[in-house]
Amino acid sequence: MFRKLFLVNLLLLFTVAVFAQLQSPEEFLGYKIGSRYTPHHKIVSYFQHVAANVPASVVLQQYGETNEGRPLLLAFISSKENISNLEEIRINNKRMANMAIDKTAPKEAGAPALVWLSYNVHGNETSSSEAALMTIWALLDPANTKTKEWLKNTVVIMDPCINPDGRDRYVNWYTSIVGKNSNPKVVAREHNEPWPGGRTNHYNFDLNRDWAWQTQVESQQRIKEYNQWMPYIHVDFHEQYFNNPYYFAPAAQPFHEVITQWQRDFQTTIGKNHAKYFDANSWLYFTREVFDLFYPSYGDTWPTYNGAIGMTYEQGGHSMAGSSVIKADGDTLTLFDRANHHYTTSLSTIEIASLNAEKLIKEFRKYFNEAVSVGVGDYKSYIIKNNPKDKERIESLLDLLEKNGIEYAKGSGNTKGYNFNSGKDESFSYDNDIVVSALQPRSAMVKVLFEPKSKLVDSVTYDITAWSLPYVYGLEAYACKEKIIVSASVNKFKPNNTTTTYGYVIPWNGIQTVKTIGQLLQKGILLRFAEHAFEVNGNKFAQGAIIILKTANSSFGNDLWAEVRKIADANAIQLYSISTGFVDKGYDFGSDKVHSFKAPKVFLLTGEGVSAGAAGEIWHFFDKQIEYPITLVNLQDFDRLDWNTIDVLIMPDGNYQFLSDKNKAESFKNWISRGGKVVALESAVSALAKAEFGIKLKKEEADDKKDEKDEKNAYEALKKFENRERDYIPNVTPGSIYKVELDNTHPLAYGYPNYYYTLKMDDNVYEFIKNGWNVGVIKKDNQVAGFVGAKLKGKLQDGLIFGVQSLGAGSISYLTDNIMFRNFWENGKLMLCNAVFLVGQ
């Protein structure tokens, strides 16, 4: 946070006399906003210029940096009085949200409203960072007396560019190919950016889907700071298709039921203020369409579920707009137009906040008082069973809760609640298990993230419709309608790894185990895994357990065990010391049911034709989470691959045209037959099915009463034009959870119980494999949560979701759903690791 000494020093160094040195963006940059793109470093320079020249009204903070080393900034702009008391304002606001460490009563009277403006979360939606330059100038321009009045009771927090890496990727590309004058014809190359585009961050992640999950470093650093301030209004600035008019609040249905009437009503208040300015300029706009408030990880919903008025503003533009583009109506949309519209709503938002500051503060205080006194929703407590085998997944869940500022503790007792696994109310006991109470400041967020089934008032929604954390993390959990008394805080696990003379066993239970195993493999240590469960030295181990022996590792000498313990300790992994290979139950370590394996050389197909997001999920997982080397190769370089250097090839969601070439497909099959392993995900599976690799999409069963039904449904072709945007709904699922029955004796499902919760986002189900292993299947009535169209429900049953097919000495692992979804679907990650490290050994 801000140190008072830092502020005092700034005030001593600079005086109001320096105010005259403040320059407008045009004066500072040497060009008019909108005449060209401003690279990120110049945006940073201008904000630094402003902070240096108006220190009494601005504090500039670097809160982090991107993967590529670019700074992430926040600018705090307000009156001199507010800036001089900025830390006191922050602490007082935390008290109003019942989040302060001390229990001092907050001061509502005279407190300023906090408005947070987030620009350029999608790198190729570039106009908003240009608007940020215009906005900070308008707030501090000595000639603008109106904004000075607003700042007397408002603190404006500006993040000028959430995604600098994506922005510069797009801006640098565009600048490198545009001519002296931009070409507004949409067919010109400057309107068609290359793969992967500038929308995402360095790892191809959409940061606007990462607010709740915080898988990315930009999100982690930003939200840590956000949680220190808890603003009353948050705006996320975007761009959409260039032919679309401007969109601002109020949002479209569905609204999640936790959104209060005040939050809904004030969105309308803000929207009407914007409309006043847009009408005066004859600018078109729309409200209450497309952009809903349901999925919890957007820049509008996440702040809303944390007590703010959270909103998305969408300007027509996007990467296809370049710096000018001819729209369908014949008008030319310029970069200045786009920036000017965002600038207008920026100031309008600040204005309406200032005019309603007292009401905003009152409602903010009421929101958080009700959260801690009565909570949100029927369920008052959520209990996570603290099973030892789930330790790694539990640790990951607790880490997510901490990032979101959600409190938890331990409790013991007996009660009744909804069992997430059975879907029924049951009596159960809990003993030192994790308890998450709904009676806490972030009560709404607790309900949104944990509730078994979210209430959906409109099935036309912008994103997935199910994400309950016990399913995402694969944990045994209960939802209770009573407040559970907690007994103690939760201590993070610390291993106690002792010496050994014979070997160690590591249960195959989670991602930290995989990271540990990967590091051991990279050291050249030979590992083994057990095909069957076994007992030795008084401990029980499930199939997939990793065995580390001196055998075949003698080259390490006496350093072997010290190195193993060092790596395990660093990853908080418990090693189980063993003294013999003669097991009490199961197969001895010399059995052919115990398999040795070395570090596989893993390649990932990427580039044009592959989903950038899908490739990014896997790249980030290997690079940042398990820290295991992976080689990314462009799909267009497929013919140039040296197949002798590849052990495992991962095919993410994509369009694999090479499979339609018989010679290339046959060459690919030959590599697999010689021992190559393929891991195919999502549409890569359907591509292999079309190429007749041995898996088939499930066809609709023959219907003996087809003629009768055809006659009955003859009038279905008669549809109303006004309903055309809803006609597709009965045939789709935007993202629902299904229970998959697993064969956990197969290596693909090691580390799992006999079930898995998958996120179903398409209508693809595959026939059972005849010459292979049907590891994960869905049967009838396996839907758990989320929306599924009425006509689709019958199709999503009795089919393959996960399978393995042997092909000569090699294998193909079929993962038909996205088990890595946005890298927050934690329970799917181990299955990818199984496919890479264990399948086919």
Side-chain angles (χ1 to χ4, degrees):
M1 281 329 306
F2 301 103
R3 294 182 175 84
K4 292 181 181 178
L5 182 60
F6 174 71
L7 288 170
V8 171
N9 286 340
L10 278 178
L11 291 169
L12 289 172
L13 286 170
F14 300 100
T15 65
V16 178
V18 184
F19 208 110
Q21 296 178 11
L22 179 65
Q23 295 180 315
S24 69
E26 183 174 349
E27 292 169 330
F28 182 84
L29 297 169
Y31 55 85
K32 183 181 178 181
I33 293 293
S35 63
R36 69 177 72 170
Y37 280 117
T38 306
H40 181 255
H41 72 90
K42 288 190 176 181
I43 295 171
V44 171
S45 294
Y46 184 69
F47 270 71
Q48 290 172 336
H49 161 77
V50 169
N53 282 280
V54 199
S57 298
V58 182
V59 169
L60 189 65
Q61 176 191 358
Q62 179 175 340
Y63 66 85
E65 66 177 30
T66 68
N67 287 290
E68 297 175 16
R70 294 181 176 87
L72 295 165
L73 303 179
L74 287 177
F76 298 80
I77 308 107
S78 194
S79 65
K80 297 175 184 177
E81 181 181 1
N82 288 334
I83 290 296
S84 65
N85 293 296
L86 200 55
E87 181 64 1
E88 287 78 4
I89 290 171
R90 184 192 70 80
I91 294 173
N92 186 63
N93 198 59
K94 294 272 282 187
R95 289 172 181 151
M96 284 199 283
N98 298 312
M99 295 179 186
I101 296 174
D102 67 71
K103 302 303 177 184
T104 304
K107 299 176 182 178
E108 294 183 42
L114 305 183
V115 177
W116 189 303
L117 305 177
S118 294
Y119 299 91
N120 217 162
V121 66
H122 291 149
N124 58 9
E125 298 174 11
T126 44
S127 66
S128 66
S129 282
E130 310 289 345
L133 299 170
M134 300 167 68
T135 300
I136 195 170
W137 164 246
L139 292 174
L140 297 167
D141 177 4
N144 193 331
T145 56
K146 184 184 291 187
T147 58
K148 307 306 176 296
E149 286 298 313
W150 301 341
L151 295 178
K152 289 179 180 179
N153 68 349
T154 307
V155 174
V156 180
I157 306 170
M158 294 180 65
D159 189 329
C161 187
I162 287 179
N163 183 10
D165 291 350
R167 178 183 175 85
D168 269 5
R169 187 185 314 130
Y170 173 78
V171 169
N172 291 339
W173 166 78
Y174 183 86
T175 303
S176 72
I177 56 93
V178 72
K180 179 182 178 182
N181 299 309
S182 64
N183 189 329
K185 296 176 182 177
V186 74
V187 297
R189 66 172 182 168
E190 63 206 65
H191 300 287
N192 185 23
E193 63 177 327
W195 194 97
R199 177 184 178 89
T200 55
N201 77 342
H202 176 80
Y203 285 99
N204 303 345
F205 269 75
D206 187 332
L207 296 178
N208 191 40
R209 271 76 174 166
D210 196 45
W211 282 74
W213 321 126
Q214 299 172 52
T215 68
Q216 301 303 293
V217 66
E218 295 91 345
S219 306
Q220 293 162 8
Q221 294 170 118
R222 180 180 70 257
I223 293 173
K224 183 179 180 181
E225 197 61 34
Y226 185 105
N227 284 337
Q228 293 300 316
W229 287 93
M230 300 300 293
Y232 310 156
I233 293 176
H234 178 268
V235 181
D236 199 21
F237 290 87
H238 287 264
E239 290 189 273
Q240 55 186 320
Y241 186 55
F242 65 83
N243 278 318
N244 292 347
Y246 199 97
Y247 163 83
F248 50 71
Q253 287 285 5
F255 280 47
H256 196 287
E257 62 180 324
V258 303
I259 300 174
T260 67
Q261 192 59 49
W262 156 253
Q263 289 175 313
R264 298 168 191 237
D265 291 344
F266 201 73
Q267 283 213 348
T268 301
T269 300
I270 292 174
K272 287 182 176 179
N273 204 58
H274 297 343
K276 175 181 66 177
Y277 292 105
F278 274 60
D279 290 343
N281 286 284
S282 297
W283 297 336
L284 291 178
Y285 55 89
F286 67 98
T287 65
R288 294 166 291 197
E289 295 181 74
V290 183
F291 304 102
D292 59 65
L293 293 174
F294 195 66
Y295 173 71
S297 203
Y298 284 118
D300 53 8
T301 50
W302 189 88
T304 298
Y305 301 152
N306 281 278
I309 311 299
M311 296 169 292
T312 288
Y313 296 168
E314 295 269 356
Q315 163 63 43
H318 209 267
S319 63
M320 288 185 68
S323 54
S324 66
V325 65
I326 299 173
K327 301 193 299 178
D329 61 9
D331 255 354
T332 298
L333 177 69
T334 67
L335 177 58
F336 174 76
D337 295 332
R338 292 150 57 197
N340 197 31
H341 297 161
H342 272 328
Y343 159 72
T344 300
T345 54
S346 295
L347 292 187
S348 175
T349 301
I350 298 166
E351 176 187 39
I352 203 69
S354 176
L355 293 174
N356 293 273
E358 186 176 335
K359 181 66 172 173
L360 281 165
I361 293 165
K362 179 181 177 182
E363 291 293 337
F364 182 84
R365 180 67 173 148
K366 176 185 175 184
Y367 182 96
F368 287 101
N369 280 344
E370 291 180 352
V372 298
S373 60
V374 297
V376 177
D378 293 334
Y379 294 119
K380 302 305 179 187
S381 304
Y382 297 90
I383 296 177
I384 311 297
K385 299 293 289 181
N386 205 1
N387 298 324
K389 64 182 178 59
D390 295 330
K391 175 186 68 67
E392 294 181 45
R393 285 189 276 264
I394 290 172
E395 292 282 340
S396 294
L397 174 64
L398 298 185
D399 181 60
L400 179 74
L401 298 184
E402 290 172 9
K403 288 176 181 175
N404 280 281
I406 294 174
E407 302 165 0
Y408 59 87
K410 286 195 298 187
S412 300
N414 298 284
T415 187
K416 184 178 181 179
Y418 178 89
N419 184 330
F420 280 79
N421 285 337
S422 69
K424 299 176 182 178
D425 286 330
E426 299 172 1
S427 296
F428 68 98
S429 61
Y430 54 101
D431 183 15
N432 282 322
D433 292 324
I434 311 297
V435 178
V436 180
S437 172
L439 278 71
Q440 62 170 292
R442 300 184 196 267
S443 180
M445 200 66 188
V446 170
K447 173 179 166 60
V448 170
L449 293 181
F450 277 93
E451 62 185 346
K453 298 180 181 180
S454 298
K455 184 178 179 181
L456 191 65
V457 298
D458 190 334
S459 50
V460 179
T461 181
Y462 201 69
D463 214 300
I464 64 172
T465 58
W467 51 78
S468 180
L469 293 182
Y471 299 129
V472 171
Y473 282 78
L475 298 172
E476 185 181 352
Y478 294 84
C480 305
K481 292 185 178 180
E482 64 178 279
K483 180 182 178 181
I484 301 296
I485 304 301
V486 296
S487 56
S489 59
V490 179
N491 297 319
K492 293 295 182 73
F493 174 80
K494 292 182 179 180
N496 179 25
N497 290 322
T498 59
T499 59
T500 186
T501 57
Y502 183 82
Y504 289 115
V505 177
I506 305 176
W508 186 258
N509 283 337
I511 301 309
Q512 284 300 107
T513 294
V514 174
K515 182 178 179 180
T516 301
I517 297 313
Q519 291 173 350
L520 292 172
L521 289 171
Q522 290 177 72
K523 291 287 185 180
I525 298 173
L526 181 79
L527 305 177
R528 292 170 168 82
F529 71 88
E531 185 180 329
H532 295 270
F534 64 93
E535 295 182 24
V536 64
N537 292 150
N539 292 310
K540 296 180 180 180
F541 300 97
Q543 58 269 27
I546 303 300
I547 303 164
I548 313 168
L549 303 176
K550 186 173 288 186
T551 305
N553 289 312
S554 56
S555 61
F556 289 88
N558 296 327
D559 296 332
L560 174 63
W561 303 129
E563 185 66 28
V564 171
R565 286 194 299 273
K566 177 182 176 182
I567 292 173
D569 287 343
N571 294 311
I573 291 298
Q574 181 64 51
L575 299 170
Y576 292 84
S577 177
I578 51 176
S579 59
T580 178
F582 191 102
V583 302
D584 301 319
K585 288 185 181 180
Y587 293 91
D588 295 329
F589 296 160
S591 168
D592 63 0
K593 301 297 190 297
V594 176
H595 308 273
S596 62
F597 65 108
K598 295 182 179 180
K601 296 183 286 293
V602 185
F603 281 57
L604 172 69
L605 289 178
T606 187
E608 200 70 49
V610 174
S611 164
E617 289 165 357
I618 297 169
W619 177 27
H620 180 270
F621 176 68
F622 273 80
D623 206 34
K624 301 289 281 189
Q625 195 162 1
I626 64 172
E627 298 178 7
Y628 190 84
I630 186 169
T631 301
L632 279 62
V633 292
N634 288 328
L635 184 57
Q636 65 188 27
D637 294 329
F638 184 84
D639 293 338
R640 299 169 51 199
L641 292 178
D642 180 358
W643 293 100
N644 293 322
T645 65
I646 304 172
D647 295 323
V648 180
L649 181 71
I650 302 177
M651 301 173 66
D653 188 36
N655 181 19
Y656 293 93
Q657 291 293 330
F658 79 88
L659 291 172
S660 60
D661 184 308
K662 289 187 177 181
N663 291 331
K664 292 181 180 179
E666 195 60 33
S667 175
F668 187 43
K669 280 185 179 179
N670 290 337
W671 169 74
I672 300 171
S673 297
R674 295 193 303 271
K677 293 201 302 180
V678 173
V679 181
L681 298 96
E682 300 183 87
S683 63
V685 178
S686 59
L688 291 170
K690 290 177 184 177
E692 300 181 349
F693 268 62
I695 189 171
K696 295 180 180 179
L697 274 166
K698 185 181 177 185
K699 298 178 181 178
E700 293 198 20
E701 297 179 5
D703 193 340
D704 295 335
K705 298 182 179 180
K706 186 176 185 300
D707 292 338
E708 181 182 333
K709 287 186 176 181
D710 285 347
E711 183 179 348
K712 184 179 179 180
N713 298 330
Y715 292 113
E716 283 191 356
L718 304 179
K719 302 174 182 178
K720 282 194 173 184
F721 182 75
E722 68 177 355
N723 294 333
R724 65 194 182 279
E725 293 181 355
R726 293 178 173 270
D727 287 340
Y728 70 94
I729 293 174
N731 299 296
V732 301
T733 175
S736 54
I737 297 174
Y738 273 75
K739 191 173 187 177
V740 177
E741 297 186 22
L742 288 182
D743 172 12
N744 63 1
T745 68
H746 191 281
L748 186 62
Y750 283 173
Y752 288 94
N754 61 1
Y755 59 86
Y756 169 83
Y757 294 103
T758 192
L759 181 65
K760 204 84 191 81
M761 300 182 65
D762 57 28
D763 60 355
N764 288 341
V765 176
Y766 293 81
E767 294 182 3
F768 298 134
I769 302 173
K770 295 180 180 178
N771 298 310
W773 301 102
N774 299 286
V775 181
V777 301
I778 53 173
K779 298 181 180 178
K780 293 181 180 179
D781 302 322
N782 273 25
Q783 183 191 355
V784 174
F787 173 78
V788 181
K791 293 182 178 179
L792 182 58
K793 284 185 178 181
K795 182 180 178 181
L796 296 181
Q797 60 184 20
D798 298 326
L800 174 85
I801 301 298
F802 308 123
V804 175
Q805 174 191 355
S806 295
L807 195 62
S811 65
I812 306 175
S813 295
Y814 298 114
L815 308 174
T816 69
D817 288 339
N818 187 359
I819 58 172
M820 302 293 291
F821 186 69
R822 296 174 184 164
N823 268 22
F824 86 83
W825 208 266
E826 192 68 24
N827 201 29
K829 296 174 181 177
L830 185 62
M831 193 173 295
L832 176 67
C833 297
N834 288 344
V836 170
F837 291 100
L838 302 183
V839 169
Q841 294 290 353

